[in-house]
Amino acid sequence: MAEHFDRELLRELGKRGVLGNEGPPQCCQTPTRRPPPPLTPRGPHHVAGRLDPGAPWGEFLLPPDPPGPGPAARNPLGGPGGAEGGQRVLVTGLHACGDLSPALLRHFTRSPAVAAIASVACCYMKLSTPPQPPGCPPGYPLSSWVATLPGHELSYRAREAACHALEEYAGRLRRQSRSLRAHCYRAILETLIRAAHPGMKHPGVQTVKKAHALSFPQYARLGLPRVGLDPATIPLETEAVGAMLEQQHKVVAFFSLTLLLAPLVETLILLDRLLYLREQGFQCALVPLFNPRFSPRNLVLVAARTPLGTVLAGLDEDSSDDEDAGGAEPPSS
């Protein structure tokens, strides 16, 4: 999919005349400024690899397939810590799911080959939390300071709520969108799943496209196989289901209250990561890179082995304040 996006980008740039020898488009040329040089029509080089958060930093990036008999497989990037030919690298985690974000941060702190990191997190509900097996540090909390806070624990439900889009949901409420029905459908389906299989907690039903345009039985027949259940074994058209469908307004109210608290949970998780980097002696900052209406994951955690002033200049008016905060001592517990 990444390679497909690369080709689309190159095709669009070609149409705009900024590739090869065609030069920049006329709209970019001004009398007082020389036009920028044309871009080289070469896409990124994709390297497939597998990450083991528990491996030493020099073995962090592993071949895609699990190791088999014979000599040890080589790091796909060709060097310790993910550096090819000894160069220093920038680690970027774009919507790095669950424990992948903490793993990348740990890799940055341990690997001199990584000059800087830019981390955009995702799927907080998939973070591992204490207790963990020996040698497997949790994804939350990362910092020693947050780990000592009374009541710092976050439930699965709290972490799951932090992934939702508050701004987008507010727009749906204002429009009284029919898509709000999907939340009621999901709540009813989980109720039926737990009644039939009490041991199934957080079944993780994948999104059903255009669920609001379906009847509940139609939605359930699409959703149940995705968690390994046969729709024929669960009654879907009963009086109890009808009564639950009448409670949609309560589901919407509950979900709205949950989303009001969601930014608090996300803030705690991201500040825990920032404090972890500060405890390791790095300058770091949380940068609101764009409007959250474009994507709810708009906060980018950046850190580097050199001062961040020149890196963050112009990104945000408050970036200098963030950098000063990142260089201070962690608060005392």
Side-chain angles (χ1 to χ4, degrees):
M1 184 58 68
E3 292 173 346
H4 169 73
F5 289 148
D6 293 343
R7 290 191 297 269
E8 282 192 343
L9 175 61
L10 292 174
R11 189 182 307 116
E12 182 64 26
L13 291 175
K15 292 178 182 178
R16 295 173 180 266
V18 293
L19 291 181
N21 297 320
E22 299 176 3
Q26 292 297 319
C27 63
C28 296
Q29 300 184 24
T30 62
T32 59
R33 188 174 179 182
R34 294 185 63 185
L39 299 174
T40 302
R42 179 171 59 87
H45 173 57
H46 293 274
V47 177
R50 179 169 51 89
L51 297 176
D52 181 358
W57 66 264
E59 305 168 13
F60 184 79
L61 186 62
L62 304 171
D65 300 320
R74 182 172 172 269
N75 182 329
L77 285 180
E84 185 176 9
Q87 300 98 330
R88 303 181 76 194
V89 297
L90 165 69
V91 169
T92 302
L94 179 58
H95 289 187
C97 183
D99 277 353
L100 179 54
S101 287
L104 294 178
L105 295 176
R106 288 191 177 101
H107 181 51
F108 164 71
T109 63
R110 298 169 183 172
S111 173
V114 181
I117 186 169
S119 172
V120 182
C122 189
C123 299
Y124 301 123
M125 67 284 194
K126 296 184 180 180
L127 286 170
S128 60
T129 56
Q132 286 287 99
C136 296
Y140 172 86
L142 277 181
S143 69
S144 300
W145 192 79
V146 170
T148 61
L149 282 177
H152 71 270
E153 298 84 0
L154 294 174
S155 67
Y156 175 94
R157 184 70 185 91
R159 288 180 279 121
E160 192 272 338
C163 298
H164 291 285
L166 175 62
E167 292 79 11
E168 190 271 340
Y169 193 77
R172 282 197 267 169
L173 287 174
R174 285 192 293 269
R175 299 191 305 271
Q176 296 185 352
S177 171
R178 288 198 307 151
S179 64
L180 295 171
R181 184 182 304 168
H183 297 294
C184 185
Y185 281 3
R186 175 65 179 267
I188 296 173
L189 188 62
E190 292 206 15
T191 300
L192 296 178
I193 291 173
R194 291 188 183 185
H197 301 274
M200 289 189 70
K201 294 184 178 180
H202 317 308
V205 180
Q206 297 177 9
T207 301
V208 175
K209 291 184 178 180
K210 297 183 178 180
H212 62 278
L214 305 174
S215 68
F216 175 74
Q218 290 172 326
Y219 167 84
R221 291 187 185 104
L222 292 174
L224 288 170
R226 300 184 182 190
V227 293
L229 297 179
D230 182 359
T233 64
I234 297 179
L236 302 176
E237 300 184 66
T238 64
E239 290 186 7
V241 169
M244 286 188 283
L245 286 170
E246 294 295 326
Q247 304 301 311
Q248 176 181 325
H249 62 288
K250 292 185 178 180
V251 176
V252 170
F254 175 80
F255 201 79
S256 300
L257 291 173
T258 300
L259 285 190
L260 287 175
L261 298 175
L264 283 175
V265 179
E266 182 175 31
T267 298
L268 177 58
I269 293 172
L270 295 180
L271 287 179
D272 170 57
R273 296 174 182 183
L274 183 139
L275 287 171
Y276 166 75
L277 293 171
R278 286 172 53 181
E279 290 172 351
Q280 307 300 313
F282 295 101
Q283 292 197 24
C284 49
L286 275 170
V287 181
L289 199 56
F290 48 80
N291 192 317
R293 294 182 186 277
F294 179 70
S295 170
R297 305 284 80 79
N298 70 319
L299 294 171
V300 184
L301 176 58
V302 294
R305 297 182 183 276
T306 56
L308 284 175
T310 55
V311 179
L312 297 178
L315 283 182
D316 186 82
E317 293 179 356
D318 298 326
S319 60
S320 59
D321 295 336
D322 292 334
E323 183 189 346
D324 292 339
E329 292 294 325
S332 57
S333 56

